[in-house]
Amino acid sequence: TVARLHDSRFGDQVDVRDIAKYIKLGPLGSALDAPSRVVLLIDEIDKADLEFPNDLLHELDTMKFRIDETGKEIAAKERPIVIITSNNEKELPDAFLRRCVFHYIQFPNRDLMADIVRVHHPDISDRVLDNALEGFFGLRATPKLRKKPSTSELIDWIMALKKAGVDLARVGGGIPFLGTLLKTEQDVDLVG
């Protein structure tokens, strides 16, 4: 709509009557319109609007949808593989969950976390990695923490320490750049 409005006001000799050229398919539309089977990731569905999972049910069941503005129907040539993630921050509708195959992914243990960190920081020494993991898992074990630090926050924290020139081998006692690991004021006050 914005591109069409822009072209109608500022486009030199642009014909804006054909709305179809302004319609761009999103991830679901692109997955259904794909010529072969694709994987569609719907990440963190629990953070979407309350009605979003229910709104998806019809399209996921029929594997097609209609573009109201043009009347064109997009139907899947091959049913995409749909992977949906959730952090369990809010309940998903029962009708939606009945259509899902559930797989819980356990939070990485210390050894797996070390492997993950090494992928992102291949030059990290064993001593530095041990100190970083000790601080990280110590924070995660803190009682009454509202939001435990995640894998991505650990990776970002190590990057912040590197960029600031902090000697990671000496990290201990206090935790520099605590706000990289903890994301609420209450958690920082609790640990600080």
Side-chain angles (χ1 to χ4, degrees):
T1 302
V2 173
R4 188 175 183 208
L5 177 63
H6 179 272
D7 286 351
S8 72
R9 294 187 65 205
F10 306 111
D12 291 335
Q13 310 290 322
V14 176
D15 183 7
V16 296
R17 289 178 287 181
D18 181 12
I19 196 169
K21 70 180 183 181
Y22 293 97
I23 293 176
K24 306 284 186 243
L25 296 178
L28 177 59
S30 296
L32 295 181
D33 199 35
S36 60
R37 185 178 308 267
V38 297
V39 176
L40 172 65
L41 172 65
I42 301 173
D43 196 21
E44 298 184 354
I45 195 168
D46 52 328
K47 292 188 175 147
D49 292 337
L50 191 57
E51 288 302 313
F52 181 71
N54 284 332
D55 292 343
L56 278 178
L57 288 179
H58 179 70
E59 284 73 17
L60 292 177
D61 279 345
T62 62
M63 285 291 138
K64 64 182 175 183
F65 68 95
R66 186 176 169 273
I67 300 172
D68 291 334
E69 294 83 358
T70 64
K72 179 180 178 185
E73 185 174 89
I74 305 286
K77 293 160 191 65
E78 291 271 349
R79 181 176 278 275
I81 297 168
V82 182
I83 298 174
I84 301 170
T85 68
S86 169
N87 292 333
N88 287 329
E89 290 185 11
K90 66 181 176 191
E91 285 288 318
L92 294 170
D94 288 339
F96 181 80
L97 292 174
R98 277 193 300 275
R99 291 166 171 86
C100 296
V101 175
F102 180 79
H103 177 72
Y104 177 75
I105 299 175
Q106 187 74 28
F107 192 81
N109 64 24
R110 191 179 172 106
D111 291 337
L112 180 55
M113 188 63 77
D115 292 341
I116 292 168
V117 169
R118 286 191 189 284
V119 167
H120 295 274
H121 301 287
D123 57 337
I124 195 168
S125 72
D126 289 342
R127 182 174 174 207
V128 169
L129 180 58
D130 285 343
N131 285 346
L133 290 175
E134 188 70 31
F136 174 75
F137 280 104
L139 274 178
R140 283 190 58 82
T142 303
K144 298 183 182 173
L145 212 56
R146 272 189 71 213
K147 184 187 178 312
K148 294 179 180 185
S150 67
T151 306
S152 65
E153 288 152 348
L154 171 62
I155 292 164
D156 292 346
W157 179 56
I158 293 170
M159 180 60 70
L161 293 171
K162 282 176 156 181
K163 295 261 184 206
V166 175
D167 182 0
L168 292 171
R170 296 187 196 187
V171 171
I175 299 177
F177 300 110
L178 187 58
T180 308
L181 290 167
L182 300 178
K183 301 301 180 182
T184 70
E185 183 180 355
Q186 297 90 342
D187 287 349
V188 171
D189 288 345
L190 178 68
V191 172

